[in-house]
Amino acid sequence: MEFHADSIQAVLFLAPSQRQDDALKLWGELFPNDSPDGFQRFNASPALNSSAHGDRQGFQITVNAQVGRIDVILAHSPQALPSDAGPPRIADVAGASAKAVELLKRLASGLRVVRAAIVFELAKTVSKGSESSEILKNLPGYPLPENATDVNVQFNSRKNFAFSEDREMNRLCAWSSGQVGFIMNPQLQGSNVMMMTPFVGFKIDVNSAPQMPLPPDGVHQAIDELAAEALAIASEGITRFQS
């Protein structure tokens, strides 16, 4: 797998008119007797947004809550220092995905869930000027003109769930490029150096289609299938969609 993860995001979309806890309470369900490193409640937000985060189990874990939605986001641990080659990213995408799925399932067990999603924000550092050619390496045969620059490609391809063939998942994929800034040695005061590196990004957003809500007894299966499909796309790339 060429790409590593800037973040792994697992999402629950909730049925309306049910009691919903803020991020601090949700954090307590995931990590009993272990307060988060930080917590914010945005009182002015009409969606009652709140967020809790902490460095746990080798990841920076964030729990976001708002009306109708809960997000669990895994990123690299703050203890991982960047290198000259680029910012720290999660190399074990499968392991991070499994952890995100585990945490999401624990939250889903006590809620009425109508949709779920798994989102991979993948990236890799590339040499300056090679961004477009690196994207094209991941899209063999794609009909782009010669010497194309500023390439951004996005599509959605639906697929039926195995556990319920009358329900579909969206498989949104986007390849893009840009530059990312990061601070070298952020823990050492007075020696911070801002670095910029070019990168190619590959976003994979696999989610249950909204037309038919998930059945209560199928939420865990749906989450498993979404995660498995996201991992397959991350591994196989465009060939995942070719017969």
Side-chain angles (χ1 to χ4, degrees):
M1 186 182 295
E2 290 184 298
F3 289 92
H4 292 171
D6 284 329
S7 67
I8 302 291
Q9 182 177 4
V11 188
L12 296 175
F13 298 91
L14 308 179
S17 303
Q18 65 178 296
R19 182 178 179 275
Q20 189 172 331
D21 294 320
D22 65 12
L24 186 61
K25 182 70 178 294
L26 296 173
W27 180 277
E29 293 181 24
L30 298 177
F31 306 102
N33 303 313
D34 182 3
S35 299
D37 298 344
F39 170 70
Q40 284 184 297
R41 182 183 287 111
F42 305 94
N43 293 323
S45 168
L48 303 178
N49 297 60
S50 59
S51 180
H53 65 86
D55 188 13
R56 300 292 186 278
Q57 302 176 6
F59 301 104
Q60 176 74 4
I61 298 177
T62 302
V63 178
N64 293 331
Q66 58 181 291
V67 173
R69 175 169 173 159
I70 296 171
D71 297 63
V72 176
I73 304 169
L74 272 62
H76 66 83
S77 169
Q79 304 303 316
L81 294 178
S83 67
D84 292 337
R89 297 186 173 105
I90 300 172
D92 184 5
V93 176
S97 176
K99 174 55 65 175
V101 164
E102 173 200 331
L103 297 176
L104 197 71
K105 283 182 177 179
R106 285 161 59 186
L107 295 178
S109 295
L111 299 167
R112 287 183 287 131
V113 177
V114 293
R115 294 181 63 207
I118 300 292
V119 183
F120 292 177
E121 290 278 3
L122 307 180
K124 65 177 179 179
T125 300
V126 299
S127 58
K128 186 174 178 60
S130 69
E131 296 94 332
S132 293
S133 62
E134 287 288 342
I135 290 179
L136 294 180
K137 287 180 183 178
N138 292 273
L139 299 167
Y142 198 85
L144 285 170
E146 189 176 352
N147 298 323
T149 60
D150 304 316
V151 176
N152 291 275
V153 177
Q154 179 174 315
F155 64 79
N156 179 29
S157 174
R158 282 195 168 181
K159 175 185 176 182
N160 292 100
F161 280 98
F163 84 95
S164 176
E165 293 190 357
D166 57 347
R167 290 175 170 82
E168 292 183 310
M169 65 174 74
N170 292 307
R171 299 182 295 171
L172 293 138
C173 297
W175 288 263
S176 61
S177 62
Q179 288 206 355
V180 62
F182 59 97
I183 298 175
M184 296 292 295
N185 297 323
Q187 297 173 347
L188 300 178
Q189 294 185 357
S191 61
N192 293 345
V193 176
M194 173 66 77
M195 301 282 290
M196 298 292 292
T197 60
F199 74 96
V200 166
F202 181 18
K203 181 176 181 177
I204 304 167
D205 183 344
V206 186
N207 60 81
S208 59
Q211 286 79 4
M212 187 170 291
L214 296 173
D217 60 350
V219 172
H220 284 200
Q221 291 171 284
I223 293 171
D224 284 336
E225 285 195 45
L226 294 172
E229 186 63 27
L231 285 170
I233 296 171
S235 177
E236 301 172 30
I238 193 70
T239 60
R240 181 67 177 173
F241 304 93
Q242 298 169 343
S243 57

